[in-house]
Amino acid sequence: ALKTQLPWPVAAGRATGGNGRPTNARYAAGSGTARRSTGGAGLHEALHTALQAACGSQVVVLPAIAGICARAWCSKSRDVHRCRRPRRVSRRVLQPFAIEPINPHMAEMKETVRRLSTPSFPRRGLLDTSEEPTVTDARLQEAFPDGGNADRETWRELIYATEGLGEFCSGVILHPEALLQETSGRDRFTDLLQQAGIVVGVRADNGTVPLNGFGEKGTAGLVGLEERCRDFRRCGARLALWRSEVQCTMELPTDVAVWEIATCLAQAAQACQKQGLAVAIELNMLGDLGSHSIERTAYVCEKVYSHAVRLLNEHDVSLEAVSLVSSICRPGKDAAPARPEDIAVYTARALRRTVPPALGSVHLLPGSLTPQEAARHFRDVQEATHREPWCVTPVYGSTLLNAPLNEWASTGDMDSAREVLLRVLEAIAETQ
């Protein structure tokens, strides 16, 4: 009945639009091309008349029903836009699919840092022998005034070839020059250390450079770092040490220096991990001079450590493959001396406030302290941080090597010098 009453031929199949293309009759009707149709108004009247004729005179057809039918009919039209609501276009902002960078050496790097901080008895520390060749030559010349046959390679052989060194040292930091050196028996130093279960580390920076006119220094060595790290790993190293120095006084460090040091450190850590080397970041607080208090030193430590951790995260550095080498919080030389328990409290508080649980390990620098004094401070800090997720271990510096060097210079016997070295390490381990 509706088809017979409609004023246009809907059953005629295809109709021809204004552009000559075949189109459906209902689209033609909706667009006003059908006979006696003027868009939505003509369709409303036609449907009203058709419904009345189909339903009979007994039924009252409300004009609202006809209006609903007209709107439903016209909503399918492609040309009449006034009879339908505008479509909502949802626009999506596509974000890049960012995840943690995939590193094939990540498991090995995490295992390297874990070996540095594994609790053991006696306590094992990190032996740093990465001083500059000029400094080593000066020490050897002072110990051997008449010259003799003492050179850097022989001195390093005395240290690295010591039997039982792995019982007291979890890792050894070498100078890049020592990676390719050998013993008198044609054994490479890296092979001897690996056979003793010691992590082989290497110094990755190239020293310090002036940063500003206030005496602050930055770290050099970012240029060509990835190529050097690739060569270090090929030579057997698995740990890279990046050393930074921070001046600590009542006025220093400046904010620009802290930002520069932290940024350079994070970029170096990213380059080292990219080449498969775990990173040991050293933040040495040079606060011996001045009259600042221990509170000032602790504040500077917290500021520098927090900036360093923040920049490491921004450069996508895996903290599980990072080891922090920090300083002990002490007042200036001209200030009132601090008690040992205060030194432990402020050092532990600075580490607790800034070092995240994900960090691999923490090592403490002895600074200008004697090995015995540094060992007592290490023990106090370890007792104050025994509940923390990271383990605190000491760093054995060049002052510890003075005793075996003097023994070697006086007797000329390398075996006796090695015995002195083991006794010194054992005494420090028992003190902790």
Side-chain angles (χ1 to χ4, degrees), residues 82-117:
R82 62 184 177 180
C83 297
R84 64 179 180 181
R85 295 182 180 179
R87 294 180 58 186
R88 293 183 179 179
V89 179
S90 61
R91 295 181 180 178
R92 245 186 235 179
V93 179
L94 299 179
Q95 297 291 341
F97 185 66
I99 60 173
E100 182 179 356
I102 300 176
N103 193 326
H105 308 289
M106 185 58 64
E108 183 183 5
M109 292 189 296
K110 292 180 180 180
E111 177 64 20
T112 299
V113 176
R114 189 196 64 80
R115 289 171 56 189
L116 293 176
S117 60

PDB file of all heavy atoms in Angstrom, residues 82-117:
ATOM      1  N   ARG A  82      20.976  18.267   5.775  1.00  0.00           N
ATOM      2  CA  ARG A  82      20.197  18.935   6.810  1.00  0.00           C
ATOM      3  C   ARG A  82      19.273  17.990   7.535  1.00  0.00           C
ATOM      4  O   ARG A  82      18.742  18.331   8.582  1.00  0.00           O
ATOM      5  CB  ARG A  82      19.379  20.045   6.178  1.00  0.00           C
ATOM      6  CG  ARG A  82      18.374  19.549   5.165  1.00  0.00           C
ATOM      7  CD  ARG A  82      17.652  20.689   4.505  1.00  0.00           C
ATOM      8  NE  ARG A  82      16.726  20.197   3.480  1.00  0.00           N
ATOM      9  CZ  ARG A  82      15.971  20.989   2.744  1.00  0.00           C
ATOM     10  NH1 ARG A  82      16.045  22.302   2.910  1.00  0.00           N
ATOM     11  NH2 ARG A  82      15.158  20.479   1.829  1.00  0.00           N
ATOM     12  N   CYS A  83      19.115  16.771   7.056  1.00  0.00           N
ATOM     13  CA  CYS A  83      18.220  15.820   7.699  1.00  0.00           C
ATOM     14  C   CYS A  83      18.951  14.858   8.621  1.00  0.00           C
ATOM     15  O   CYS A  83      18.333  13.941   9.145  1.00  0.00           O
ATOM     16  CB  CYS A  83      17.450  15.019   6.637  1.00  0.00           C
ATOM     17  SG  CYS A  83      16.381  16.044   5.627  1.00  0.00           S
ATOM     18  N   ARG A  84      20.244  14.992   8.792  1.00  0.00           N
ATOM     19  CA  ARG A  84      20.990  14.090   9.665  1.00  0.00           C
ATOM     20  C   ARG A  84      22.001  14.890  10.479  1.00  0.00           C
ATOM     21  O   ARG A  84      22.400  15.983  10.106  1.00  0.00           O
ATOM     22  CB  ARG A  84      21.704  13.030   8.854  1.00  0.00           C
ATOM     23  CG  ARG A  84      22.767  13.572   7.921  1.00  0.00           C
ATOM     24  CD  ARG A  84      23.448  12.465   7.156  1.00  0.00           C
ATOM     25  NE  ARG A  84      24.462  13.008   6.257  1.00  0.00           N
ATOM     26  CZ  ARG A  84      25.196  12.261   5.461  1.00  0.00           C
ATOM     27  NH1 ARG A  84      25.014  10.951   5.457  1.00  0.00           N
ATOM     28  NH2 ARG A  84      26.101  12.815   4.677  1.00  0.00           N
ATOM     29  N   ARG A  85      22.413  14.308  11.577  1.00  0.00           N
ATOM     30  CA  ARG A  85      23.397  14.956  12.439  1.00  0.00           C
ATOM     31  C   ARG A  85      24.805  14.788  11.853  1.00  0.00           C
ATOM     32  O   ARG A  85      25.109  13.778  11.229  1.00  0.00           O
ATOM     33  CB  ARG A  85      23.348  14.331  13.829  1.00  0.00           C
ATOM     34  CG  ARG A  85      22.039  14.571  14.537  1.00  0.00           C
ATOM     35  CD  ARG A  85      22.085  13.954  15.921  1.00  0.00           C
ATOM     36  NE  ARG A  85      20.836  14.168  16.623  1.00  0.00           N
ATOM     37  CZ  ARG A  85      20.595  13.703  17.856  1.00  0.00           C
ATOM     38  NH1 ARG A  85      21.534  13.000  18.471  1.00  0.00           N
ATOM     39  NH2 ARG A  85      19.451  13.953  18.430  1.00  0.00           N
ATOM     40  N   PRO A  86      25.662  15.755  12.089  1.00  0.00           N
ATOM     41  CA  PRO A  86      27.046  15.614  11.579  1.00  0.00           C
ATOM     42  C   PRO A  86      27.793  14.503  12.311  1.00  0.00           C
ATOM     43  O   PRO A  86      27.634  14.311  13.517  1.00  0.00           O
ATOM     44  CB  PRO A  86      27.661  16.995  11.871  1.00  0.00           C
ATOM     45  CG  PRO A  86      26.835  17.550  12.971  1.00  0.00           C
ATOM     46  CD  PRO A  86      25.441  17.040  12.758  1.00  0.00           C
ATOM     47  N   ARG A  87      28.553  13.762  11.575  1.00  0.00           N
ATOM     48  CA  ARG A  87      29.321  12.651  12.152  1.00  0.00           C
ATOM     49  C   ARG A  87      30.488  13.192  12.967  1.00  0.00           C
ATOM     50  O   ARG A  87      31.131  14.169  12.608  1.00  0.00           O
ATOM     51  CB  ARG A  87      29.860  11.747  11.039  1.00  0.00           C
ATOM     52  CG  ARG A  87      28.795  11.024  10.277  1.00  0.00           C
ATOM     53  CD  ARG A  87      29.435  10.157   9.216  1.00  0.00           C
ATOM     54  NE  ARG A  87      30.364   9.204   9.795  1.00  0.00           N
ATOM     55  CZ  ARG A  87      31.142   8.406   9.083  1.00  0.00           C
ATOM     56  NH1 ARG A  87      31.127   8.472   7.765  1.00  0.00           N
ATOM     57  NH2 ARG A  87      31.955   7.569   9.689  1.00  0.00           N
ATOM     58  N   ARG A  88      30.720  12.528  14.071  1.00  0.00           N
ATOM     59  CA  ARG A  88      31.860  12.892  14.912  1.00  0.00           C
ATOM     60  C   ARG A  88      33.104  12.141  14.443  1.00  0.00           C
ATOM     61  O   ARG A  88      33.111  10.916  14.362  1.00  0.00           O
ATOM     62  CB  ARG A  88      31.583  12.550  16.375  1.00  0.00           C
ATOM     63  CG  ARG A  88      30.478  13.405  16.979  1.00  0.00           C
ATOM     64  CD  ARG A  88      30.312  13.052  18.446  1.00  0.00           C
ATOM     65  NE  ARG A  88      29.279  13.855  19.066  1.00  0.00           N
ATOM     66  CZ  ARG A  88      28.906  13.740  20.343  1.00  0.00           C
ATOM     67  NH1 ARG A  88      29.501  12.832  21.102  1.00  0.00           N
ATOM     68  NH2 ARG A  88      27.968  14.516  20.829  1.00  0.00           N
ATOM     69  N   VAL A  89      34.129  12.898  14.158  1.00  0.00           N
ATOM     70  CA  VAL A  89      35.387  12.314  13.699  1.00  0.00           C
ATOM     71  C   VAL A  89      36.334  12.244  14.892  1.00  0.00           C
ATOM     72  O   VAL A  89      36.717  13.265  15.462  1.00  0.00           O
ATOM     73  CB  VAL A  89      36.009  13.144  12.560  1.00  0.00           C
ATOM     74  CG1 VAL A  89      37.323  12.521  12.116  1.00  0.00           C
ATOM     75  CG2 VAL A  89      35.033  13.272  11.417  1.00  0.00           C
ATOM     76  N   SER A  90      36.648  11.030  15.302  1.00  0.00           N
ATOM     77  CA  SER A  90      37.565  10.838  16.434  1.00  0.00           C
ATOM     78  C   SER A  90      38.993  10.839  15.911  1.00  0.00           C
ATOM     79  O   SER A  90      39.348  10.050  15.040  1.00  0.00           O
ATOM     80  CB  SER A  90      37.260   9.517  17.142  1.00  0.00           C
ATOM     81  OG  SER A  90      37.425   8.447  16.253  1.00  0.00           O
ATOM     82  N   ARG A  91      39.794  11.721  16.459  1.00  0.00           N
ATOM     83  CA  ARG A  91      41.184  11.839  16.033  1.00  0.00           C
ATOM     84  C   ARG A  91      42.076  11.258  17.120  1.00  0.00           C
ATOM     85  O   ARG A  91      41.993  11.641  18.269  1.00  0.00           O
ATOM     86  CB  ARG A  91      41.552  13.298  15.790  1.00  0.00           C
ATOM     87  CG  ARG A  91      40.764  13.901  14.636  1.00  0.00           C
ATOM     88  CD  ARG A  91      41.174  15.334  14.398  1.00  0.00           C
ATOM     89  NE  ARG A  91      40.423  15.927  13.285  1.00  0.00           N
ATOM     90  CZ  ARG A  91      40.561  17.182  12.885  1.00  0.00           C
ATOM     91  NH1 ARG A  91      41.419  17.979  13.515  1.00  0.00           N
ATOM     92  NH2 ARG A  91      39.861  17.639  11.885  1.00  0.00           N
ATOM     93  N   ARG A  92      42.932  10.349  16.734  1.00  0.00           N
ATOM     94  CA  ARG A  92      43.844   9.692  17.650  1.00  0.00           C
ATOM     95  C   ARG A  92      45.248  10.238  17.467  1.00  0.00           C
ATOM     96  O   ARG A  92      45.725  10.342  16.360  1.00  0.00           O
ATOM     97  CB  ARG A  92      43.858   8.207  17.365  1.00  0.00           C
ATOM     98  CG  ARG A  92      43.326   7.394  18.487  1.00  0.00           C
ATOM     99  CD  ARG A  92      43.515   5.953  18.147  1.00  0.00           C
ATOM    100  NE  ARG A  92      42.264   5.298  18.236  1.00  0.00           N
ATOM    101  CZ  ARG A  92      42.094   4.032  17.970  1.00  0.00           C
ATOM    102  NH1 ARG A  92      43.104   3.339  17.529  1.00  0.00           N
ATOM    103  NH2 ARG A  92      40.950   3.474  18.138  1.00  0.00           N
ATOM    104  N   VAL A  93      45.903  10.564  18.583  1.00  0.00           N
ATOM    105  CA  VAL A  93      47.297  10.993  18.546  1.00  0.00           C
ATOM    106  C   VAL A  93      48.159   9.740  18.714  1.00  0.00           C
ATOM    107  O   VAL A  93      48.154   9.109  19.771  1.00  0.00           O
ATOM    108  CB  VAL A  93      47.597  12.016  19.650  1.00  0.00           C
ATOM    109  CG1 VAL A  93      49.071  12.424  19.597  1.00  0.00           C
ATOM    110  CG2 VAL A  93      46.689  13.221  19.503  1.00  0.00           C
ATOM    111  N   LEU A  94      48.860   9.398  17.678  1.00  0.00           N
ATOM    112  CA  LEU A  94      49.655   8.178  17.692  1.00  0.00           C
ATOM    113  C   LEU A  94      50.969   8.431  18.419  1.00  0.00           C
ATOM    114  O   LEU A  94      51.728   9.325  18.055  1.00  0.00           O
ATOM    115  CB  LEU A  94      49.933   7.710  16.264  1.00  0.00           C
ATOM    116  CG  LEU A  94      48.690   7.364  15.438  1.00  0.00           C
ATOM    117  CD1 LEU A  94      49.098   6.942  14.040  1.00  0.00           C
ATOM    118  CD2 LEU A  94      47.902   6.256  16.119  1.00  0.00           C
ATOM    119  N   GLN A  95      51.209   7.668  19.468  1.00  0.00           N
ATOM    120  CA  GLN A  95      52.458   7.760  20.207  1.00  0.00           C
ATOM    121  C   GLN A  95      53.417   6.673  19.724  1.00  0.00           C
ATOM    122  O   GLN A  95      52.999   5.584  19.352  1.00  0.00           O
ATOM    123  CB  GLN A  95      52.192   7.581  21.710  1.00  0.00           C
ATOM    124  CG  GLN A  95      51.315   8.673  22.299  1.00  0.00           C
ATOM    125  CD  GLN A  95      52.018  10.024  22.337  1.00  0.00           C
ATOM    126  OE1 GLN A  95      53.237  10.087  22.251  1.00  0.00           O
ATOM    127  NE2 GLN A  95      51.248  11.080  22.455  1.00  0.00           N
ATOM    128  N   PRO A  96      54.704   6.959  19.719  1.00  0.00           N
ATOM    129  CA  PRO A  96      55.654   5.907  19.318  1.00  0.00           C
ATOM    130  C   PRO A  96      55.658   4.765  20.321  1.00  0.00           C
ATOM    131  O   PRO A  96      55.488   4.971  21.520  1.00  0.00           O
ATOM    132  CB  PRO A  96      57.004   6.642  19.307  1.00  0.00           C
ATOM    133  CG  PRO A  96      56.795   7.820  20.203  1.00  0.00           C
ATOM    134  CD  PRO A  96      55.359   8.220  20.058  1.00  0.00           C
ATOM    135  N   PHE A  97      55.865   3.578  19.827  1.00  0.00           N
ATOM    136  CA  PHE A  97      55.859   2.386  20.669  1.00  0.00           C
ATOM    137  C   PHE A  97      57.217   2.292  21.357  1.00  0.00           C
ATOM    138  O   PHE A  97      58.163   1.701  20.841  1.00  0.00           O
ATOM    139  CB  PHE A  97      55.590   1.147  19.825  1.00  0.00           C
ATOM    140  CG  PHE A  97      55.440  -0.109  20.630  1.00  0.00           C
ATOM    141  CD1 PHE A  97      54.371  -0.267  21.493  1.00  0.00           C
ATOM    142  CD2 PHE A  97      56.350  -1.126  20.537  1.00  0.00           C
ATOM    143  CE1 PHE A  97      54.218  -1.410  22.232  1.00  0.00           C
ATOM    144  CE2 PHE A  97      56.222  -2.286  21.270  1.00  0.00           C
ATOM    145  CZ  PHE A  97      55.144  -2.418  22.122  1.00  0.00           C
ATOM    146  N   ALA A  98      57.335   2.940  22.517  1.00  0.00           N
ATOM    147  CA  ALA A  98      58.609   3.036  23.227  1.00  0.00           C
ATOM    148  C   ALA A  98      58.653   2.020  24.357  1.00  0.00           C
ATOM    149  O   ALA A  98      57.739   1.945  25.176  1.00  0.00           O
ATOM    150  CB  ALA A  98      58.801   4.446  23.787  1.00  0.00           C
ATOM    151  N   ILE A  99      59.715   1.227  24.399  1.00  0.00           N
ATOM    152  CA  ILE A  99      59.950   0.291  25.486  1.00  0.00           C
ATOM    153  C   ILE A  99      61.408   0.445  25.905  1.00  0.00           C
ATOM    154  O   ILE A  99      62.159   1.251  25.336  1.00  0.00           O
ATOM    155  CB  ILE A  99      59.663  -1.164  25.066  1.00  0.00           C
ATOM    156  CG1 ILE A  99      60.580  -1.572  23.896  1.00  0.00           C
ATOM    157  CG2 ILE A  99      58.199  -1.355  24.722  1.00  0.00           C
ATOM    158  CD1 ILE A  99      60.474  -3.034  23.527  1.00  0.00           C
ATOM    159  N   GLU A 100      61.805  -0.296  26.910  1.00  0.00           N
ATOM    160  CA  GLU A 100      63.196  -0.267  27.331  1.00  0.00           C
ATOM    161  C   GLU A 100      64.080  -0.792  26.202  1.00  0.00           C
ATOM    162  O   GLU A 100      63.773  -1.798  25.583  1.00  0.00           O
ATOM    163  CB  GLU A 100      63.386  -1.122  28.574  1.00  0.00           C
ATOM    164  CG  GLU A 100      64.798  -1.106  29.123  1.00  0.00           C
ATOM    165  CD  GLU A 100      64.930  -1.959  30.372  1.00  0.00           C
ATOM    166  OE1 GLU A 100      63.905  -2.481  30.836  1.00  0.00           O
ATOM    167  OE2 GLU A 100      66.061  -2.084  30.869  1.00  0.00           O
ATOM    168  N   PRO A 101      65.165  -0.074  25.909  1.00  0.00           N
ATOM    169  CA  PRO A 101      66.040  -0.531  24.809  1.00  0.00           C
ATOM    170  C   PRO A 101      66.527  -1.955  25.025  1.00  0.00           C
ATOM    171  O   PRO A 101      66.931  -2.331  26.128  1.00  0.00           O
ATOM    172  CB  PRO A 101      67.203   0.466  24.851  1.00  0.00           C
ATOM    173  CG  PRO A 101      66.641   1.673  25.529  1.00  0.00           C
ATOM    174  CD  PRO A 101      65.629   1.177  26.506  1.00  0.00           C
ATOM    175  N   ILE A 102      66.462  -2.731  23.973  1.00  0.00           N
ATOM    176  CA  ILE A 102      66.875  -4.133  24.043  1.00  0.00           C
ATOM    177  C   ILE A 102      68.390  -4.206  23.866  1.00  0.00           C
ATOM    178  O   ILE A 102      68.930  -3.765  22.856  1.00  0.00           O
ATOM    179  CB  ILE A 102      66.151  -4.966  22.972  1.00  0.00           C
ATOM    180  CG1 ILE A 102      64.640  -4.897  23.199  1.00  0.00           C
ATOM    181  CG2 ILE A 102      66.639  -6.404  22.991  1.00  0.00           C
ATOM    182  CD1 ILE A 102      63.829  -5.602  22.141  1.00  0.00           C
ATOM    183  N   ASN A 103      69.064  -4.735  24.860  1.00  0.00           N
ATOM    184  CA  ASN A 103      70.518  -4.859  24.836  1.00  0.00           C
ATOM    185  C   ASN A 103      70.872  -6.331  24.989  1.00  0.00           C
ATOM    186  O   ASN A 103      70.521  -6.952  25.993  1.00  0.00           O
ATOM    187  CB  ASN A 103      71.135  -4.038  25.975  1.00  0.00           C
ATOM    188  CG  ASN A 103      72.630  -3.861  25.824  1.00  0.00           C
ATOM    189  OD1 ASN A 103      73.321  -4.738  25.324  1.00  0.00           O
ATOM    190  ND2 ASN A 103      73.135  -2.710  26.257  1.00  0.00           N
ATOM    191  N   PRO A 104      71.567  -6.912  24.029  1.00  0.00           N
ATOM    192  CA  PRO A 104      71.890  -8.349  24.141  1.00  0.00           C
ATOM    193  C   PRO A 104      72.862  -8.654  25.274  1.00  0.00           C
ATOM    194  O   PRO A 104      72.975  -9.813  25.678  1.00  0.00           O
ATOM    195  CB  PRO A 104      72.513  -8.674  22.775  1.00  0.00           C
ATOM    196  CG  PRO A 104      73.001  -7.365  22.254  1.00  0.00           C
ATOM    197  CD  PRO A 104      72.049  -6.330  22.766  1.00  0.00           C
ATOM    198  N   HIS A 105      73.548  -7.631  25.806  1.00  0.00           N
ATOM    199  CA  HIS A 105      74.515  -7.854  26.883  1.00  0.00           C
ATOM    200  C   HIS A 105      73.951  -7.508  28.260  1.00  0.00           C
ATOM    201  O   HIS A 105      74.706  -7.458  29.221  1.00  0.00           O
ATOM    202  CB  HIS A 105      75.769  -7.011  26.641  1.00  0.00           C
ATOM    203  CG  HIS A 105      76.374  -7.164  25.285  1.00  0.00           C
ATOM    204  ND1 HIS A 105      77.034  -8.313  24.891  1.00  0.00           N
ATOM    205  CD2 HIS A 105      76.411  -6.326  24.218  1.00  0.00           C
ATOM    206  CE1 HIS A 105      77.462  -8.168  23.639  1.00  0.00           C
ATOM    207  NE2 HIS A 105      77.094  -6.976  23.218  1.00  0.00           N
ATOM    208  N   MET A 106      72.651  -7.250  28.346  1.00  0.00           N
ATOM    209  CA  MET A 106      72.090  -6.757  29.600  1.00  0.00           C
ATOM    210  C   MET A 106      72.228  -7.774  30.730  1.00  0.00           C
ATOM    211  O   MET A 106      72.578  -7.421  31.865  1.00  0.00           O
ATOM    212  CB  MET A 106      70.616  -6.381  29.397  1.00  0.00           C
ATOM    213  CG  MET A 106      69.987  -5.745  30.616  1.00  0.00           C
ATOM    214  SD  MET A 106      70.857  -4.244  31.148  1.00  0.00           S
ATOM    215  CE  MET A 106      70.584  -3.206  29.711  1.00  0.00           C
ATOM    216  N   ALA A 107      71.961  -9.036  30.470  1.00  0.00           N
ATOM    217  CA  ALA A 107      72.061 -10.049  31.518  1.00  0.00           C
ATOM    218  C   ALA A 107      73.494 -10.167  32.030  1.00  0.00           C
ATOM    219  O   ALA A 107      73.728 -10.281  33.247  1.00  0.00           O
ATOM    220  CB  ALA A 107      71.563 -11.397  30.992  1.00  0.00           C
ATOM    221  N   GLU A 108      74.456 -10.095  31.133  1.00  0.00           N
ATOM    222  CA  GLU A 108      75.861 -10.178  31.551  1.00  0.00           C
ATOM    223  C   GLU A 108      76.266  -8.960  32.370  1.00  0.00           C
ATOM    224  O   GLU A 108      76.997  -9.079  33.362  1.00  0.00           O
ATOM    225  CB  GLU A 108      76.752 -10.311  30.323  1.00  0.00           C
ATOM    226  CG  GLU A 108      78.231 -10.481  30.646  1.00  0.00           C
ATOM    227  CD  GLU A 108      79.090 -10.541  29.402  1.00  0.00           C
ATOM    228  OE1 GLU A 108      78.534 -10.346  28.299  1.00  0.00           O
ATOM    229  OE2 GLU A 108      80.297 -10.776  29.533  1.00  0.00           O
ATOM    230  N   MET A 109      75.797  -7.777  31.995  1.00  0.00           N
ATOM    231  CA  MET A 109      76.142  -6.570  32.740  1.00  0.00           C
ATOM    232  C   MET A 109      75.550  -6.590  34.146  1.00  0.00           C
ATOM    233  O   MET A 109      76.198  -6.198  35.120  1.00  0.00           O
ATOM    234  CB  MET A 109      75.680  -5.341  31.966  1.00  0.00           C
ATOM    235  CG  MET A 109      76.436  -5.099  30.675  1.00  0.00           C
ATOM    236  SD  MET A 109      76.045  -3.505  29.900  1.00  0.00           S
ATOM    237  CE  MET A 109      74.309  -3.741  29.501  1.00  0.00           C
ATOM    238  N   LYS A 110      74.317  -7.051  34.260  1.00  0.00           N
ATOM    239  CA  LYS A 110      73.697  -7.150  35.582  1.00  0.00           C
ATOM    240  C   LYS A 110      74.432  -8.166  36.455  1.00  0.00           C
ATOM    241  O   LYS A 110      74.606  -7.952  37.667  1.00  0.00           O
ATOM    242  CB  LYS A 110      72.225  -7.536  35.440  1.00  0.00           C
ATOM    243  CG  LYS A 110      71.361  -6.448  34.811  1.00  0.00           C
ATOM    244  CD  LYS A 110      69.921  -6.897  34.706  1.00  0.00           C
ATOM    245  CE  LYS A 110      69.051  -5.816  34.079  1.00  0.00           C
ATOM    246  NZ  LYS A 110      67.624  -6.247  33.958  1.00  0.00           N
ATOM    247  N   GLU A 111      74.865  -9.256  35.867  1.00  0.00           N
ATOM    248  CA  GLU A 111      75.620 -10.246  36.622  1.00  0.00           C
ATOM    249  C   GLU A 111      76.972  -9.687  37.057  1.00  0.00           C
ATOM    250  O   GLU A 111      77.455  -9.996  38.164  1.00  0.00           O
ATOM    251  CB  GLU A 111      75.818 -11.494  35.763  1.00  0.00           C
ATOM    252  CG  GLU A 111      76.651 -12.589  36.415  1.00  0.00           C
ATOM    253  CD  GLU A 111      76.001 -13.167  37.658  1.00  0.00           C
ATOM    254  OE1 GLU A 111      74.783 -13.015  37.821  1.00  0.00           O
ATOM    255  OE2 GLU A 111      76.735 -13.769  38.476  1.00  0.00           O
ATOM    256  N   THR A 112      77.581  -8.848  36.233  1.00  0.00           N
ATOM    257  CA  THR A 112      78.857  -8.229  36.602  1.00  0.00           C
ATOM    258  C   THR A 112      78.705  -7.344  37.825  1.00  0.00           C
ATOM    259  O   THR A 112      79.514  -7.412  38.765  1.00  0.00           O
ATOM    260  CB  THR A 112      79.394  -7.406  35.418  1.00  0.00           C
ATOM    261  OG1 THR A 112      79.612  -8.274  34.302  1.00  0.00           O
ATOM    262  CG2 THR A 112      80.693  -6.723  35.783  1.00  0.00           C
ATOM    263  N   VAL A 113      77.664  -6.523  37.848  1.00  0.00           N
ATOM    264  CA  VAL A 113      77.439  -5.645  39.008  1.00  0.00           C
ATOM    265  C   VAL A 113      77.062  -6.468  40.231  1.00  0.00           C
ATOM    266  O   VAL A 113      77.442  -6.132  41.362  1.00  0.00           O
ATOM    267  CB  VAL A 113      76.366  -4.601  38.658  1.00  0.00           C
ATOM    268  CG1 VAL A 113      76.036  -3.738  39.870  1.00  0.00           C
ATOM    269  CG2 VAL A 113      76.825  -3.726  37.508  1.00  0.00           C
ATOM    270  N   ARG A 114      76.317  -7.535  40.024  1.00  0.00           N
ATOM    271  CA  ARG A 114      75.946  -8.371  41.171  1.00  0.00           C
ATOM    272  C   ARG A 114      77.180  -9.012  41.803  1.00  0.00           C
ATOM    273  O   ARG A 114      77.264  -9.150  43.038  1.00  0.00           O
ATOM    274  CB  ARG A 114      74.961  -9.456  40.714  1.00  0.00           C
ATOM    275  CG  ARG A 114      74.347 -10.252  41.853  1.00  0.00           C
ATOM    276  CD  ARG A 114      73.708 -11.517  41.330  1.00  0.00           C
ATOM    277  NE  ARG A 114      74.697 -12.409  40.747  1.00  0.00           N
ATOM    278  CZ  ARG A 114      75.495 -13.214  41.440  1.00  0.00           C
ATOM    279  NH1 ARG A 114      75.438 -13.232  42.772  1.00  0.00           N
ATOM    280  NH2 ARG A 114      76.364 -13.990  40.833  1.00  0.00           N
ATOM    281  N   ARG A 115      78.139  -9.407  40.992  1.00  0.00           N
ATOM    282  CA  ARG A 115      79.372  -9.990  41.530  1.00  0.00           C
ATOM    283  C   ARG A 115      80.158  -8.984  42.353  1.00  0.00           C
ATOM    284  O   ARG A 115      80.877  -9.354  43.294  1.00  0.00           O
ATOM    285  CB  ARG A 115      80.225 -10.518  40.387  1.00  0.00           C
ATOM    286  CG  ARG A 115      79.664 -11.761  39.709  1.00  0.00           C
ATOM    287  CD  ARG A 115      80.447 -12.093  38.460  1.00  0.00           C
ATOM    288  NE  ARG A 115      81.880 -12.263  38.755  1.00  0.00           N
ATOM    289  CZ  ARG A 115      82.808 -12.391  37.808  1.00  0.00           C
ATOM    290  NH1 ARG A 115      82.454 -12.351  36.527  1.00  0.00           N
ATOM    291  NH2 ARG A 115      84.064 -12.553  38.146  1.00  0.00           N
ATOM    292  N   LEU A 116      80.054  -7.703  42.023  1.00  0.00           N
ATOM    293  CA  LEU A 116      80.768  -6.681  42.783  1.00  0.00           C
ATOM    294  C   LEU A 116      80.194  -6.493  44.176  1.00  0.00           C
ATOM    295  O   LEU A 116      80.920  -6.081  45.095  1.00  0.00           O
ATOM    296  CB  LEU A 116      80.737  -5.342  42.038  1.00  0.00           C
ATOM    297  CG  LEU A 116      81.497  -5.259  40.712  1.00  0.00           C
ATOM    298  CD1 LEU A 116      81.281  -3.905  40.077  1.00  0.00           C
ATOM    299  CD2 LEU A 116      82.976  -5.523  40.926  1.00  0.00           C
ATOM    300  N   SER A 117      78.926  -6.770  44.354  1.00  0.00           N
ATOM    301  CA  SER A 117      78.261  -6.481  45.622  1.00  0.00           C
ATOM    302  C   SER A 117      77.789  -7.732  46.345  1.00  0.00           C
ATOM    303  O   SER A 117      76.998  -7.621  47.285  1.00  0.00           O
ATOM    304  CB  SER A 117      77.058  -5.565  45.375  1.00  0.00           C
ATOM    305  OG  SER A 117      76.129  -6.190  44.490  1.00  0.00           O
TER     306      SER A 117
END
